[in-house]
């Protein structure tokens, strides 16, 4: 139990540092086409142990969001997306519950525990939800619906690749 | 009563979710006021220190490129200086020096945090109130303009980038002297628009756009960019000009904070007129 939470804490710190020191600085795009944002820190919320109660997940999500916001100069934007992701996480987990349910002992929803296919679907849904809320809140109006959609799609592709790289390189057990 | 408490416990996660989202939205809306963000912006000591430490590490690997760019800048300034001295010798001796009272003072600073990808961008520089920086001063680069100081701490300042929805810079066409407002519509960090240029203005593609000096923030005549295209929005009486800005906002290192030494007297002159 304890080592599980220590690992999660380290992962949260590492992902936030990666996000604000490395991925924030990547500027990728060309003339009239900068729809790319690299967001990897949602993985920290997605990988919290499966049986974490919902209230702590919400608080952890909010904290992660606020810390990222400090660096992005955008108080509340990342935090609201994180809180939303933390809120829908139990529903995502329920939607793709493996046959026979989740094991009784607490473990992280990782590729190694539940298989590659399961993990790909889980992260894709979580990341897409996070990006959709993030860009909607950032623009703060639905006038630019088409631009928001483009940003979500292209950022999803690059962020998803980064997240998969992280997972396939480190392949954490929990 | 018991039912109510049970109901609250049962849906505690949902209520917490709503409460946290409300907190987030309050933060977002307050931030849009543009006034009270100091407590959470990146002038915040912790993130500024982390960024400074990281920049210190990265900067070392880029020393050669920086040295080159500074050398080029020096060469440009030197040539300007030499030309100037040549010219001065031709001037008549009777002209008193007091005619040329210094109007602008520049303070060198280094960018330690920057962004170009969000809708509202800001940057942090490593100079603050103890180096003489005050809220409202302009920031320029080797070429072009960067933004306006919005918050100051003893050793850091936060600069509202020109790539911010609240940024409005007074600019003018160098050739025909018509002026307008430079704003950013949020899509490409190299493209801005100049708005509110009257319909009868004489504009050509490729015209240089410079600061007008009307706001007393930037000196007059700093080059900002060139005219890309221009058009009149349907139903409007003004041109909108698409501007390619001359500097690359995504690659900033050394910048200069500009202090207008005559601003207090100009403000005291103009302020009462505004409220009349």
């Amino acid at each position: 139990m304890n080592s599980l939470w220590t690992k999660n804490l380290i992962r949260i710190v590492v992902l936030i540092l990666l996000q604000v020191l490395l991925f924030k600085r990547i500027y990728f795009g060309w003339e009239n086409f900068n729809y790319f944002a690299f967001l990897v820190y949602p993985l920290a919320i997605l990988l919290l142990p499966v049986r974490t109660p919902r209230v702590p997940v919400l608080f952890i999500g909010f904290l992660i969001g606020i810390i990222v916001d400090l660096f992005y100069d955008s108080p509340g934007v990342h935090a609201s997306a994180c809180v939303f992701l933390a809120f829908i996480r139990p529903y995502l987990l329920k939607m793709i519950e493996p046959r026979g349910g989740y094991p009784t002992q607490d473990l992280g929803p990782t590729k190694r525990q539940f298989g590659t296919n399961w993990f790909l679907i889980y992260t894709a849904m979580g990341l897409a939800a996070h990006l959709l809320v993030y860009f909607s809140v950032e623009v703060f109006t639905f006038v630019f619906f088409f631009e928001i959609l483009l940003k979500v799609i292209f950022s999803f592709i690059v962020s998803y690749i980064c997240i998969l790289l992280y997972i396939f390189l480190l392949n954490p057990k929990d | 009563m018991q039912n109510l408490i049970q109901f609250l416990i049962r849906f505690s996660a949902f209520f917490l979710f709503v409460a946290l989202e409300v907190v987030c939205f309050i933060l977002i809306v307050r931030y849009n006021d543009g006034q009270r963000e100091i407590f959470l912006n990146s002038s915040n000591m912790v993130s500024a220190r982390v960024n400074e430490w990281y920049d210190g590490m990265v900067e070392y690997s880029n020393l050669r490129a920086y040295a080159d760019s500074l050398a080029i800048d020096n060469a440009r300034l030197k040539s300007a200086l030499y030309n100037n001295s040549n010219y001065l010798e031709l001037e008549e001796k009777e002209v008193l020096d007091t005619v040329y009272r210094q109007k602008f003072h520049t303070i060198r600073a280094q960018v330690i945090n920057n962004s170009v990808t969000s809708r509202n961008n800001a940057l942090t520089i490593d100079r603050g109130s103890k180096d003489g920086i005050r809220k409202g001063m302009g920031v320029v680069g080797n070429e072009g303009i960067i933004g306006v100081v919005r918050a100051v701490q003893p050793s850091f300042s936060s600069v509202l980038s020109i790539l911010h929805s609240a940024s409005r810079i007074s600019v003018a066409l160098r050739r025909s002297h018509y002026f307008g407002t430079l704003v950013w519509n949020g899509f490409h960090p190299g493209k801005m628009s100049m708005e509110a240029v009257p319909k009868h203005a004489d504009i050509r593609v490729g015209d240089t756009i410079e600061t007008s000096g009307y706001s007393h923030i930037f000196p007059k005549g700093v080059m900002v960019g060139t005219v890309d295209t221009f058009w009149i929005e349907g139903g409007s009486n003004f041109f909108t000009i698409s501007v390619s800005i001359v500097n690359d906002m995504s690659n900033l290192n050394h910048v200069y904070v500009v202090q207008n030494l005559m601003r207090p007297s100009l403000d005291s002159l103009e302020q009462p007129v505004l409220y009349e």
Side-chain angles (χ1 to χ4, degrees):
Chain A
M1 180 69 187
N2 263 333
S3 87
L4 189 64
W5 276 102
T6 323
K7 278 182 195 165
N8 267 290
L9 196 64
I10 294 170
R11 176 159 54 221
I12 289 171
V13 172
V14 167
L15 279 171
I16 290 177
L17 284 178
L18 270 179
Q19 181 66 46
V20 301
L21 294 180
L22 179 67
F23 288 109
K24 185 193 163 209
R25 288 158 193 263
I26 298 180
Y27 172 63
F28 182 52
W30 47 91
E31 193 86 352
N32 293 328
F33 196 87
N34 63 330
Y35 296 112
F36 296 99
F38 293 74
L39 297 184
V40 295
Y41 69 93
L43 190 62
I45 299 170
L46 288 171
L47 286 186
L48 290 173
V50 177
R51 292 196 177 274
T52 320
R54 303 172 58 168
V55 171
V57 175
L58 282 168
F59 275 120
I60 293 169
F62 183 71
L63 271 181
I64 293 175
I66 283 291
I67 294 171
V68 174
D69 274 330
L70 274 177
F71 286 86
Y72 271 79
D73 249 356
S74 58
V77 180
H78 287 271
S80 64
C82 282
V83 170
F84 180 76
L85 177 61
F87 180 69
I88 63 160
R89 196 186 96 114
Y91 300 108
L92 290 183
L93 284 170
K94 195 151 191 185
M95 212 192 294
I96 50 170
E97 190 167 350
R99 206 166 295 156
Y102 291 105
T104 36
Q105 93 258 35
D106 211 6
L107 32 82
T110 52
K111 179 171 88 69
R112 222 201 284 187
Q113 298 285 4
F114 295 100
T116 311
N117 276 345
W118 184 93
F119 183 80
L120 289 182
I121 296 168
Y122 173 62
T123 22
M125 291 196 301
L127 184 65
H130 182 94
L131 289 172
L132 191 62
V133 175
Y134 170 69
F135 287 117
S136 309
V137 173
E138 189 194 27
V139 179
F140 219 67
T141 154
F142 287 102
V143 177
F144 299 111
F145 182 74
F146 186 62
E147 275 81 6
I148 295 176
L149 214 60
L150 281 180
K151 280 193 169 186
V152 170
I153 292 167
F154 288 108
S155 302
F156 177 83
I157 295 169
V158 290
S159 305
Y160 199 47
I161 291 171
C162 295
I163 286 178
L164 292 185
L165 270 179
Y166 178 95
I167 288 297
F168 278 86
L169 286 178
L170 300 180
N171 201 6
K173 187 162 150 287
D174 42 36
Chain B
M1 189 65 198
Q2 204 158 9
N3 282 343
L4 181 68
I5 291 169
Q6 266 181 351
F7 172 78
L8 286 178
I9 292 171
R10 180 132 187 265
F11 292 100
S12 59
F14 177 72
F15 288 123
L16 181 66
F17 164 66
V18 173
L20 288 176
E21 287 289 5
V22 168
V23 171
C24 294
F25 275 82
I26 290 172
L27 286 175
I28 295 168
V29 173
R30 275 174 71 124
Y31 172 72
N32 282 349
D33 286 343
Q35 297 296 325
R36 298 163 186 267
E37 79 269 37
I38 299 159
F39 78 107
L40 264 183
N41 71 24
S42 68
S43 289
N44 185 302
M45 276 303 172
V46 182
S47 63
R49 292 275 174 217
V50 175
N51 277 317
E52 192 186 27
W53 162 79
Y54 180 83
D55 267 20
M57 287 192 342
V58 175
E59 191 191 12
Y60 201 74
S61 61
N62 294 335
L63 272 184
R64 181 173 290 276
Y66 293 153
D68 285 351
S69 85
L70 287 177
I72 291 167
D73 205 35
N74 267 341
R76 189 175 59 77
L77 291 173
K78 273 212 178 90
S79 66
L81 185 69
Y82 295 155
N83 289 338
N84 217 3
S85 65
N86 226 354
Y87 177 73
L88 279 180
E89 281 168 16
L90 293 174
E91 292 226 348
E92 297 203 21
K93 300 282 183 203
E94 283 86 352
V95 176
L96 285 172
D97 260 345
T98 47
V99 170
Y100 300 108
R101 200 167 61 169
Q102 189 180 6
K103 189 172 177 193
F104 287 98
H105 176 65
T106 53
I107 304 161
R108 189 182 64 82
Q110 201 164 5
V111 175
I112 56 172
N113 187 16
N114 185 14
S115 69
V116 293
T117 47
S118 349
R119 175 67 185 94
N120 294 321
N121 297 293
L123 34 106
T124 310
I125 55 175
D126 68 342
R127 303 275 160 152
S129 57
K130 68 171 198 265
D131 308 296
I133 292 180
R134 300 283 174 270
K135 198 179 166 198
M137 287 185 180
V139 181
V140 299
N142 283 347
E143 290 179 304
I145 55 175
I146 311 287
V148 178
V149 176
R150 63 168 177 182
V152 184
Q153 287 202 341
S155 46
F156 299 104
S157 322
S158 175
V159 178
L160 187 90
S161 167
I162 52 173
L163 308 182
H164 190 293
S165 58
S167 167
R168 302 244 175 301
I169 311 279
S170 176
V171 291
L173 292 159
R174 180 169 285 174
R175 194 170 54 78
S176 54
H177 305 300
Y178 287 98
F179 69 95
T181 310
L182 190 72
V183 296
W184 190 53
N185 55 19
F187 295 116
H188 189 268
K191 291 268 186 288
M192 300 188 63
S193 355
M194 178 174 170
E195 291 180 346
V197 183
K199 218 172 179 174
H200 57 270
D202 169 23
I203 310 170
R204 285 177 213 161
V205 171
D207 270 0
T208 301
I209 287 171
E210 59 180 24
T211 52
S212 68
Y214 291 170
S215 58
H216 312 313
I217 294 172
F218 296 103
K220 183 175 162 44
V222 179
M223 181 171 171
V224 174
T226 50
V227 174
D228 238 14
T229 53
F230 55 96
W231 65 91
I232 296 178
E233 297 280 359
S236 166
N237 266 330
F238 296 100
F239 276 117
T240 303
I241 303 177
S242 166
V243 181
S244 295
I245 57 172
V246 67
N247 49 341
D248 182 358
M249 290 293 290
S250 58
N251 181 12
L252 297 175
N253 187 35
H254 292 289
V255 297
Y256 305 92
V257 182
V258 183
Q259 178 185 12
N260 187 340
L261 298 170
M262 295 178 186
R263 188 151 180 203
S265 59
L266 286 166
D267 281 350
S268 68
L269 172 71
E270 290 175 358
Q271 229 35 272
V273 180
L274 278 180
Y275 292 115
E276 250 169 32

